[in-house]
Amino acid sequence: SQNSNGRERKRERPTVSVLAMSSGSSFALKEERKKVETKEAAQALFKSLQEAIDSKEFTKFSSLKFSGMSFSYEAAKVLAELLPELKGVDVLDVSDIIAGQETEEARKVLKVLSGAAKDMGLTSVLMNENALGSNGIAASEDLLKGNKNIKELSFNDCGLESEAGKLISEYILSNGKPSKIEKFQIFNNCLTSAGAITLCPLFENSPLLAVSRIE
């Protein structure tokens, strides 16, 4: 089986036992663990999200950052149950969440989270370092089509080729033309000139685009 990310990553395990930080309106994972495998581990990790929902503080967080840990499908399903309950979230950072997972497992992780986040009204979506290529973009179709006011998109270092560029353009523009994209980054991929051409429809229909980086 092919791994979704072949690079070895050495991470020092922190001495603190804090699993997550929720300061003000931002939720971010703090303890770096290579993989979150079980439902129980995920429930512990997302405890403050569950507590906010239980206490009906649905709008407590405007920014969610889950980057830096690798989630199994079982763990991702726990998060997928919570995301639709959270309101007023603008930023979703799901960068580097499938490192070391088998390709099919990684695809299922992105797909279940994408479906859960499709109606969140996000304006910023960061999906860097999820090296699944066009399969990863296809798995994220619900997320990209469902959030119709996305202003910032980032797909750096995702192993993307021209087919991925075509899908990104198609999904974002399915929300209507012109797009609302203001910032778009997709560097450290394998797009080449053919891939850049597949993104032309998106660029041509994004009059508010102020920041872009392709390579």
Side-chain angles (χ1 to χ4, degrees), residues 173-192:
L173 294 178
S174 73
N175 292 323
K177 299 177 183 178
S179 85
K180 298 179 175 66
I181 299 293
E182 298 175 9
K183 183 176 182 180
F184 181 78
Q185 297 191 85
I186 191 168
F187 62 84
N188 283 353
N189 285 291
C190 311
L191 289 170
T192 69

Side-chain angles (χ1 to χ4, degrees), residues 13-153:
R13 187 174 178 82
T15 54
V16 290
S17 59
V18 177
L19 290 177
M21 172 190 73
S22 49
S23 63
S25 61
S26 296
F27 174 92
L29 299 178
K30 294 297 288 180
E31 183 184 357
E32 289 194 355
R33 284 191 274 180
K34 189 170 183 181
K35 287 185 181 180
V36 183
E37 300 273 13
T38 66
K39 177 180 179 180
E40 291 73 24
Q43 287 172 333
L45 204 60
F46 305 132
K47 184 179 179 182
S48 59
L49 296 181
Q50 184 66 63
E51 288 174 345
I53 293 167
D54 290 344
S55 59
K56 301 194 183 305
E57 294 180 89
F58 303 113
T59 60
K60 182 174 182 178
F61 304 109
S62 63
S63 174
L64 302 174
K65 183 177 181 180
F66 304 111
S67 58
M69 289 196 189
S70 180
F71 298 103
S72 70
Y73 180 54
E74 285 302 310
K77 285 193 294 185
V78 173
L79 179 56
E81 290 178 4
L82 301 177
L83 290 180
E85 301 292 329
L86 300 169
K87 311 301 178 187
V89 177
D90 295 317
V91 179
L92 179 65
D93 186 348
V94 286
S95 301
D96 191 21
I97 62 167
I98 54 172
Q101 303 287 0
E102 297 295 328
T103 299
E104 181 57 20
E105 179 88 352
R107 188 194 66 79
K108 287 166 62 178
V109 167
L110 293 182
K111 190 168 181 62
V112 73
L113 294 180
S114 172
K118 66 180 180 180
D119 296 319
M120 292 185 73
L122 302 167
T123 58
S124 179
V125 176
L126 311 176
M127 301 187 68
N128 306 314
E129 296 186 74
N130 290 316
L132 267 189
S134 60
N135 285 330
I137 303 301
S140 306
E141 179 178 359
D142 288 346
L143 171 63
L144 299 177
K145 283 185 173 181
N147 291 280
K148 302 183 184 304
N149 296 304
I150 296 177
K151 296 179 180 179
E152 178 183 12
L153 267 179

